[in-house]
């Protein structure tokens, strides 16, 4: 097109134009985006208020005159406030970026591996998974997993660039998620684990480095402004009311891609991460948890834990403690997360103390595992004896168990969980309702695995349990192939 019109059209660059053109005046361009983006970033309640104001303005005689001045005033960075999962990806990306910047100043750093790390970092900055509008975005698990895959590969390449090879282990403390509080990073040659003592002592990222998978790339179920339109459409369908194309406001199409979306619209009361500490009524059941009923009897779920780091050449650990209340009793939890060189397992020790002698408490540890598909025959649970318990979107309730594993053959990944004291086990899928180009749909996000115990104190008022989380490749080991071989410059 340019060549065909070259008799009157001259290609140029911005810099050349600035140099060759006299300015007409001064202008300051504010932060901005296209209109829909400034709407999508609004919290649901504000978004609905904005829509009502927009519709009222559209019906006004002054609509055309007022339209240039009517803005939602949303700011893109608030996606990171609305969705902590977006903020976690963004913060993780910054960690890699800063590490790469520091590595480029090292005289002995391998330039080929630095270039691999830079390429993977750029891939990890692809914007689509960091926000949510009309096209899925953050709600699509494979997009989040792709971001983490690139960031983990970048970390691996930086290890190679710096010559960090073989079994090793380290622990670092810092504000890794930019919330003005301290987090803890435990790392060895197989795993990277990020822990936030200030929010329940949760494990919020767990990277299996050989497969470049973050097992905690989860997503919390939360209200969205368009959920109201979905419920209105379902209510009309149940009432058998005719409504052309199913619309919520006379303009927007409401297309439901599957039945039963109203049953999926439940909202989480706490983050869907790992090592989330619960106390429940004795009689609570799987249906109560899956429906997010308010059955919590403790204040440990998002409470602040005091933490201290332990380091020596054979192991690193973060030890977290918190006094709190469980079913009306004042108790204390001590939670220790340990990592050793060369190990692909996290060891977690729970020590409960100051327990009441006269009462039985119902203690549970919630672990949400992601990065896998839910409804597929090659993604499944196995019990401790190797028996298949169903696909990863199954509901499972066992009265007595000592462990469970989750396998994704396509990802070549298996996660084994064992605990030292037999207890009950609940497993259930976490599914969200979100919009995409084709309409509204349910999306499998993760599997919640919840071992639980009826706790009675020993003579000293104590009780403890050890939980081991082991990540491994599903397939038999093959001859090693270098992860980045195809990206390296030929010699």
């Amino acid at each position: 097109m340019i060549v065909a019109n070259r008799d009157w059209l001259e290609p140029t660059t911005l810099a050349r134009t600035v140099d060759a053109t006299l300015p007409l005046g001064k202008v300051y361009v504010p932060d901005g985006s296209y209109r829909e983006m400034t709407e999508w970033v609004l919290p649901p309640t504000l978004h609905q208020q904005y829509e009502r104001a927009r519709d009222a303005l559209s019906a006004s005689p002054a609509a055309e005159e007022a339209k240039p001045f009517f803005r939602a005033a949303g700011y893109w960075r608030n996606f990171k406030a609305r969705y902590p999962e977006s903020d976690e990806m963004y913060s993780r990306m910054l960690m890699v970026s800063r590490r790469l910047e520091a590595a480029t100043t090292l005289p002995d750093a391998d330039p080929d591996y630095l270039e691999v790390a830079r390429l993977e970092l750029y891939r990890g900055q692809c914007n689509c998974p960091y926000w949510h509008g009309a096209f899925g975005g953050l709600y699509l698990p494979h997009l989040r997993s792709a971001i983490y895959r690139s960031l983990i590969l970048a970390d691996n390449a930086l290890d190679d660039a710096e010559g960090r090879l073989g079994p090793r282990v380290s622990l670092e403390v810092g504000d890794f998620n930019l919330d003005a509080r301290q987090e803890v990073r435990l790392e060895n040659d197989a795993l990277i684990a990020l822990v936030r003592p200030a929010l329940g002592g949760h494990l919020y990222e767990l990277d299996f480095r050989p497969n470049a998978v973050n097992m905690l790339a989860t997503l919390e179920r939360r209200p969205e402004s368009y959920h109201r339109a979905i419920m209105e459409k379902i209510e009309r369908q149940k009432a058998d009311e005719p409504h052309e194309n199913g619309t919520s406001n006379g303009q927007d199409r409401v297309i439901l891609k599957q039945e039963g979306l109203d049953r999926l619209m439940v909202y989480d009361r706490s983050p869907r991460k790992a090592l989330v500490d619960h106390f429940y009524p004795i009689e609570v059941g799987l249906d109560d948890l899956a429906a997010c009923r308010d059955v919590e009897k403790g204040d440990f779920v998002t409470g602040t834990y005091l933490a201290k780091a332990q380091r020596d050449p054979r192991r690193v650990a973060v030890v977290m403690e918190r006094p709190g209340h469980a079913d009306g009793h004042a108790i204390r939890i001590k939670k220790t997360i340990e990592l050793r060189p060369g190990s692909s397992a996290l060891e977690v020790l729970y020590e409960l103390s100051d327990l009441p002698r006269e009462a039985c408490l119902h203690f549970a540890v919630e672990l949400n595992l992601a990065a896998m598909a839910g409804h597929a025959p090659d993604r499944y649970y196995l019990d401790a004896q190797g028996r298949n318990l169903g696909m990863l979107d199954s509901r499972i309730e066992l009265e007595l168990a000592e462990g469970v594993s989750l396998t994704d053959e396509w990802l070549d990944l298996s996660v084994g969980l064992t605990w030292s004291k037999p207890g009950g086990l609940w497993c259930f899928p976490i599914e969200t309702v979100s919009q995409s180009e084709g309409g509204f749909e349910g999306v499998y996000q993760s599997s919640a695995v919840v071992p639980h115990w009826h706790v009675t104190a020993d003579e000293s008022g104590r009780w403890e349990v050890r939980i081991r989380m082991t990540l491994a490749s599903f397939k038999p080991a093959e001859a090693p192939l270098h992860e980045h071989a195809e990206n390296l410059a030929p010699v």
Side-chain angles (χ1 to χ4, degrees):
M1 181 179 292
I2 293 176
V3 173
N5 293 277
R6 61 189 176 191
D7 57 327
W8 65 272
L9 183 62
E10 179 184 354
T12 188
T13 65
L14 177 61
R16 287 168 59 189
T17 302
V18 169
D19 292 340
T21 306
L22 291 175
L24 296 177
K26 183 184 292 186
V27 63
Y28 292 97
V29 180
D31 292 326
S33 184
Y34 56 92
R35 176 180 57 79
E36 292 87 352
M37 181 74 79
T38 67
E39 298 170 359
W40 294 327
V41 74
L42 295 175
T45 301
L46 285 180
H47 195 167
Q48 292 168 4
Q49 292 175 358
Y50 166 79
E51 288 179 329
R52 289 194 293 268
R54 181 193 62 194
D55 293 345
L57 179 63
S58 298
S60 166
E64 287 303 312
E65 184 177 354
K67 187 175 181 180
F69 307 100
F70 186 77
R71 298 284 189 275
Y75 182 43
W76 187 90
R77 288 183 183 271
N78 276 326
F79 279 115
K80 298 191 285 119
R82 274 200 66 196
Y83 302 105
E85 298 88 351
S86 172
D87 196 45
E88 289 164 5
M89 286 191 296
Y90 179 80
S91 302
R92 185 70 169 88
M93 178 275 296
L94 288 181
M95 292 169 65
V96 173
S97 179
R98 289 165 181 165
R99 185 183 174 196
L100 174 60
E101 182 180 20
T104 58
T105 66
L106 301 176
D108 297 329
D110 187 310
D112 289 338
Y113 283 115
L114 290 178
E115 191 57 33
V116 171
R118 183 172 289 105
L119 176 61
E120 295 296 350
L121 172 63
Y122 291 163
R123 288 171 174 164
Q125 293 173 339
C126 174
N127 83 89
C128 303
Y130 287 88
W131 57 280
H132 174 59
F135 307 109
L138 178 72
Y139 272 83
L140 300 179
H142 63 282
L143 294 186
R144 300 195 308 274
S145 294
I147 291 293
Y148 280 111
R149 174 176 174 80
S150 291
L151 298 178
I152 296 167
L153 290 176
D155 256 333
N156 292 348
L158 287 170
D159 277 358
D160 291 330
E162 297 169 3
R164 300 178 65 202
L165 305 174
R168 59 194 182 278
V169 70
S170 63
L171 183 150
E172 184 181 357
V173 177
D175 182 11
F176 299 126
N177 65 0
L178 309 179
D179 65 350
R181 299 180 177 184
Q182 298 291 292
E183 288 77 46
V184 182
R185 172 174 169 146
L186 301 89
E187 177 180 351
N188 68 4
D189 41 301
L191 300 178
I192 297 175
L194 290 169
V195 181
R196 49 189 180 204
L199 186 64
H202 299 166
L203 176 66
Y204 71 93
E205 181 173 336
L206 181 60
D207 301 335
F208 184 47
R209 304 183 71 173
N211 292 37
V213 175
N214 173 19
M215 293 307 306
L216 291 171
T218 54
L219 189 72
E220 184 180 332
R221 296 173 293 186
R222 52 174 58 86
E224 295 288 355
S225 61
Y226 50 77
H227 284 177
R228 182 184 62 175
I230 296 172
M231 293 302 298
E232 289 174 353
K233 174 68 176 285
I234 292 172
E235 289 168 3
R236 288 195 298 268
Q237 290 177 334
K238 289 179 179 179
D240 201 25
E241 294 179 6
H243 201 283
E244 184 179 356
N245 289 330
T247 62
S248 60
N249 60 14
Q251 297 176 358
D252 300 328
R253 290 167 56 86
V254 179
I255 300 174
L256 309 183
K257 297 175 68 175
Q258 64 190 75
E259 295 182 353
L261 290 182
D262 53 332
R263 295 192 297 272
L264 297 181
M265 280 195 285
V266 296
Y267 305 127
D268 290 316
R269 299 176 180 273
S270 59
R272 285 291 175 185
K273 295 300 179 182
L275 306 183
V276 184
D277 307 329
H278 296 279
F279 286 92
Y280 293 132
I282 295 295
E283 69 278 4
V284 78
L286 174 60
D287 290 342
D288 297 312
L289 271 64
C292 285
R293 297 186 182 119
D294 187 7
V295 293
E296 189 64 45
K297 293 293 184 179
D299 58 6
F300 292 88
V301 175
T302 57
T304 298
Y305 280 72
L306 298 178
K308 61 181 179 179
Q310 297 179 346
R311 301 178 179 90
D312 68 50
R314 296 171 301 166
R315 65 184 280 278
V316 297
V318 55
V319 182
M320 298 175 284
E321 291 192 69
R322 172 178 167 78
H325 292 84
D327 204 10
H329 302 279
I331 70 164
R332 178 177 291 270
I333 290 182
K334 182 179 179 181
K335 176 164 52 175
T336 303
I337 304 173
E338 178 183 290
L339 183 63
R340 294 180 177 271
S343 174
S344 62
L346 276 184
E347 302 277 355
V348 184
L349 172 62
Y350 276 94
E351 299 172 270
L352 278 59
S353 59
D354 299 334
L355 296 174
R357 300 291 183 88
E358 72 282 1
C360 176
L361 300 179
H362 192 177
F363 177 57
V365 178
E366 176 188 346
L367 305 104
N368 293 278
L369 300 173
M372 302 177 175
H375 194 77
D378 59 346
R379 281 88 162 181
Y380 48 82
Y381 290 102
L382 297 176
D383 67 11
Q385 289 70 45
R387 293 186 291 260
N388 192 307
L389 299 176
M391 291 184 283
L392 294 181
D393 63 353
S394 301
R395 287 193 179 192
I396 298 169
E397 186 166 18
L398 302 179
E399 292 186 1
L400 200 64
E402 296 180 347
V404 68
S405 67
L406 296 79
T407 296
D408 188 322
E409 295 184 7
W410 188 84
L411 277 180
D412 181 24
L413 182 64
S414 179
V415 182
L417 295 166
T418 58
W419 38 92
S420 59
K421 282 185 168 63
L425 175 64
W426 295 310
C427 302
F428 56 95
I430 304 301
E431 298 170 290
T432 56
V433 178
S434 60
Q435 66 179 347
S436 64
E437 302 98 312
F440 297 98
E441 61 189 346
V443 180
Y444 167 85
Q445 299 292 347
S446 60
S447 292
V449 179
V450 188
H452 56 103
W453 301 266
H454 290 168
V455 171
T456 54
D458 63 14
E459 293 181 354
S460 62
R462 300 174 61 86
W463 182 91
E464 69 176 44
V465 65
R466 291 183 179 273
I467 299 176
R468 181 181 175 90
M469 183 185 304
T470 305
L471 283 70
S473 293
F474 165 76
K475 299 173 186 173
E478 300 176 353
L481 295 175
H482 203 285
E483 183 71 52
H484 313 293
E486 72 276 11
N487 289 330
L488 292 176
V491 178

